[in-house]
């Protein structure tokens, strides 16, 4: 009895699967192929199909030059990367020039954890509420003071790096839009649309024939 039920279930699945329509064409290439003008270069074809949404998505990766690289501006992207590297080197150099002077002073009580110097951590005990004799504190990490002439290099590197990324974003977005518009305008002027009336006296019908030529 159980074998008959299993055979019936297998037969049902086989019938269901075989009854499904088989997709035609390559399932990995579902984008239809459209005709393009004969004199359009591959670079222009790429410019026409660049998406501003992809450029905006790439902005989540703060790497200088990434938007201009997607826009096809390889030279500008390389310059922006070099400027970004310069800003990063400035930050690292300034950080190396700074030396820790000691713990910062505080007007609040200090709580010390791990009293060994390597792992020592200090917190300010800032009172936030009181219930009778019980006082609630907020623990705020206390840092160390630094000395040296590296602060200016760190600030300079941070400004250069931020301006570099912002320029890549806004000018890169503008470049994508401009290139798309330029290609569409160029080949849009070459489009020739003709409208011809069609009248069939035998079938007593009329219509219009549209043709689009480059």
């Amino acid at each position: 009895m159980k074998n008959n039920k299993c055979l019936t279930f297998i037969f049902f699945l086989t019938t269901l699967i075989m009854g499904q329509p088989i997709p035609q064409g390559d399932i990995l290439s579902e984008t239809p192929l459209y005709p393009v003008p004969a004199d359009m270069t591959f670079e222009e074809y790429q410019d026409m199909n660049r998406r501003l949404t992809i450029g905006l998505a790439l902005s989540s990766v703060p790497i200088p030059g990434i938007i201009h690289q997607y826009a096809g501006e390889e030279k500008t992207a390389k310059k922006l990367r070099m400027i970004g590297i310069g800003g990063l080197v400035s930050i690292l150099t300034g950080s190396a020039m700074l030396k820790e002077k000691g713990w910062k002073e505080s007007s609040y009580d200090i709580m010390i954890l791990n009293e060994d110097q390597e792992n020592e951590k200090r917190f300010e005990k800032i009172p936030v509420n009181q219930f009778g004799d019980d006082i609630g504190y907020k623990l705020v990490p206390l840092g160390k003071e630094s000395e040296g002439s590296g602060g200016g290099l760190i600030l300079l590197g941070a400004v250069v790096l931020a301006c570099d990324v912002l320029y890549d974003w806004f000018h890169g977005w503008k470049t994508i839009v401009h290139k798309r518009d330029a290609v569409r305008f160029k080949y849009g002027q070459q489009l020739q649309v003709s409208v011809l009336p069609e009248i069939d006296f035998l079938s007593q019908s009329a219509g219009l024939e549209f043709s689009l030529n480059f």
Side-chain angles (χ1 to χ4, degrees):
M1 184 68 178
K2 292 182 178 180
N3 293 334
N4 292 335
K5 290 183 178 180
C6 292
L7 291 175
T8 304
F9 181 71
I10 294 173
F11 177 77
F12 172 76
L13 289 180
T14 305
T15 306
L16 184 63
I17 295 173
M18 295 299 293
Q20 297 297 322
I22 300 175
Q24 301 295 326
D26 186 1
I27 60 175
L28 299 179
S29 179
E30 298 177 352
T31 303
L33 182 62
Y34 296 101
V36 297
D39 55 341
M40 177 181 285
T41 63
F42 180 67
E43 182 179 357
E44 289 177 329
Y45 180 80
Q46 287 182 311
D47 291 340
M48 185 180 66
N49 288 281
R50 299 189 197 278
R51 298 291 182 264
L52 183 59
T53 52
I54 297 180
L56 293 172
L58 290 174
S59 303
S60 60
V61 184
I63 299 178
I66 190 171
I67 309 298
H68 279 81
Q69 184 174 1
Y70 173 71
E73 298 293 323
E74 295 291 341
K75 293 183 178 179
T76 304
K78 185 176 180 180
K79 291 180 181 178
L80 292 175
R81 283 194 292 268
M82 296 302 296
I83 294 174
I85 292 175
L88 183 60
V89 170
S90 178
I91 294 175
L92 296 177
T93 303
S95 300
M97 294 174 62
L98 292 177
K99 296 181 180 179
E100 291 184 349
K101 184 178 180 181
W103 291 100
K104 295 180 179 180
E105 296 182 356
S106 175
S107 57
Y108 298 100
D109 293 336
I110 304 298
M111 185 179 71
I112 301 177
L113 298 178
N114 299 327
E115 295 186 0
D116 58 302
Q117 294 184 353
E118 294 183 359
N119 301 318
E120 182 179 344
K121 295 181 180 179
R122 297 190 179 189
F123 299 87
E124 295 178 292
K125 295 175 62 177
I126 302 177
V128 292
N129 52 52
Q130 181 175 1
F131 298 97
D133 295 334
D134 296 330
I135 302 176
Y137 295 95
K138 177 182 180 182
L139 299 180
V140 178
L142 188 65
K144 290 185 177 182
E145 294 180 339
S146 301
E147 61 181 0
S149 57
L153 285 176
I154 294 176
L155 180 60
L156 176 63
V159 171
V160 169
L161 194 58
C163 293
D164 193 32
V165 172
L166 290 176
Y167 178 83
D168 181 40
W169 287 356
F170 293 104
H171 189 266
W173 298 337
K174 181 180 178 181
T175 302
I176 293 173
V177 175
H178 176 74
K179 283 190 170 184
R180 282 171 53 90
D181 291 343
V183 175
R184 293 176 182 275
F185 178 78
K186 174 182 176 180
Y187 291 98
Q189 288 183 318
Q190 300 179 14
L191 295 178
Q192 298 178 359
V193 180
S194 60
V195 181
L196 298 176
E198 290 186 347
I199 301 176
D200 191 346
F201 294 100
L202 296 177
S203 60
Q204 297 181 355
S205 62
L208 296 176
E209 179 184 355
F210 291 88
S211 61
L212 181 64
N213 301 307
F214 287 97

